[in-house]
Amino acid sequence: PEARPPLPPRPPEPGRLGPEGHVGPRPPRPPLDPIQDFEVSVRRELGPMMEMVKDLGGPPIQERLQQARRAFEERRFEEGRDMLRMVGRQLRELHELRERDPKRFKLQREIAELDHYSALLGQKVRRAPNEEAGKQAAAELREVLNKLFDLRQEEREMNVRQIEGELKQLRESLEQRKARRDEIIKHRFDQLTGKAQMLDW
């Protein structure tokens, strides 16, 4: 009888290795739902910090979250995830600052909110429908900028006081080292010559 031609190799099942070790064809991935992907990314990047957005970050952080959401809606997924990662870092830093220095946290929070509001007022001035509306928005913007300047000045004064405190500690440490000069040199000599181990028991 006439020999039959060999049967073609059976295609590997999806996800299994074929005869040459290649993965077989996978079923096509369903199209991404931008909003669902945004919500999944928010849970992954922010986690429990999401509950603190309003208390910690206020309007500026909420605006960044809206920008990230718009990036997902426009299918700029990587850009949106980068924004969420940045928001997550900011929230963690704000949380640590609130625990460590509540006064400075409150000041920085107020500065961030006024800075955000001043940008909105600037847009309002530029887009004013008439001269009167523009004057009102400009007057409000000047008032906000005056307050913002005073708060930033207060923050800088806090920074200066902190630096002065650190400098004072450094000077005290320097004076202590100077007073203990011979003792420090002797201890280092003993370390280098192997005698320090006998003294440390």
Side-chain angles (χ1 to χ4, degrees), residues 24 33 38 42 62 97 107 117 123 138 159 164 177 185 187:
D33 176 356
F38 170 74
V42 165
Q62 291 171 349
L97 179 61
L107 181 62
Y117 187 47
Q123 292 179 5
N159 291 337
E164 286 175 343
R177 282 181 55 82
I185 291 174
H187 183 69

Side-chain angles (χ1 to χ4, degrees), residues 97 101-108 155 158-159 162:
L97 179 61
D101 192 342
K103 186 177 179 181
R104 186 182 288 270
F105 165 78
K106 184 179 178 182
L107 181 62
Q108 287 193 2
E155 183 186 32
M158 287 177 68
N159 291 337
Q162 180 180 345

Side-chain angles (χ1 to χ4, degrees), residues 142-187:
R142 287 191 189 94
E143 185 179 344
V144 168
L145 290 177
N146 275 300
K147 188 173 183 182
L148 189 55
F149 178 87
D150 292 341
L151 290 174
R152 288 188 181 279
Q153 196 73 358
E154 183 180 346
E155 183 186 32
R156 285 181 171 84
E157 288 171 2
M158 287 177 68
N159 291 337
V160 168
R161 287 195 295 271
Q162 180 180 345
I163 292 170
E164 286 175 343
E166 293 171 356
L167 182 60
K168 183 182 177 183
Q169 289 179 349
L170 286 172
R171 288 193 182 281
E172 288 174 355
S173 174
L174 188 64
E175 291 301 319
Q176 289 173 4
R177 282 181 55 82
K178 189 184 294 185
R180 297 174 56 201
R181 179 179 186 275
D182 293 342
E183 179 186 348
I184 292 171
I185 291 174
K186 181 179 183 305
H187 183 69

Side-chain angles (χ1 to χ4, degrees), residues 36-198:
Q36 184 180 359
D37 201 42
F38 170 74
E39 291 170 355
V40 170
S41 296
V42 165
R43 288 195 296 271
R44 182 173 62 246
E45 299 298 340
L46 304 187
M49 303 300 291
M50 187 62 193
E51 304 298 324
M52 305 180 188
V53 166
K54 189 174 180 181
D55 291 337
L56 288 175
I61 294 289
Q62 291 171 349
E63 174 62 26
R64 291 190 185 99
L65 284 174
Q66 289 300 320
Q67 291 173 355
R69 184 186 179 96
R70 285 194 292 272
F72 274 85
E73 289 172 351
E74 295 168 5
R75 296 187 175 274
R76 294 179 285 119
F77 297 111
E78 284 305 314
E79 185 179 342
R81 291 188 190 100
D82 286 343
M83 290 180 186
L84 290 176
R85 280 190 282 271
M86 182 181 70
V87 168
R89 284 195 298 271
Q90 289 175 329
L91 287 174
R92 284 187 288 274
E93 289 170 2
L94 288 169
H95 178 67
E96 291 171 4
L97 179 61
R98 185 172 65 176
E99 297 296 313
R100 186 177 69 250
D101 192 342
K103 186 177 179 181
R104 186 182 288 270
F105 165 78
K106 184 179 178 182
L107 181 62
Q108 287 193 2
R109 165 80 185 269
E110 194 172 356
I111 288 172
E113 289 182 355
L114 281 179
D115 204 27
H116 178 72
Y117 187 47
S118 68
L120 296 178
L121 284 173
Q123 292 179 5
K124 194 174 178 181
V125 171
R126 293 194 302 272
R127 299 172 183 174
N130 53 59
E131 186 177 351
E132 183 61 28
K135 285 182 179 179
Q136 289 179 359
E140 189 177 1
L141 176 58
R142 287 191 189 94
E143 185 179 344
V144 168
L145 290 177
N146 275 300
K147 188 173 183 182
L148 189 55
F149 178 87
D150 292 341
L151 290 174
R152 288 188 181 279
Q153 196 73 358
E154 183 180 346
E155 183 186 32
R156 285 181 171 84
E157 288 171 2
M158 287 177 68
N159 291 337
V160 168
R161 287 195 295 271
Q162 180 180 345
I163 292 170
E164 286 175 343
E166 293 171 356
L167 182 60
K168 183 182 177 183
Q169 289 179 349
L170 286 172
R171 288 193 182 281
E172 288 174 355
S173 174
L174 188 64
E175 291 301 319
Q176 289 173 4
R177 282 181 55 82
K178 189 184 294 185
R180 297 174 56 201
R181 179 179 186 275
D182 293 342
E183 179 186 348
I184 292 171
I185 291 174
K186 181 179 183 305
H187 183 69
R188 183 57 178 159
F189 177 88
D190 290 342
Q191 283 182 325
L192 294 173
T193 57
K195 296 179 181 179
Q197 292 179 354
M198 293 185 290

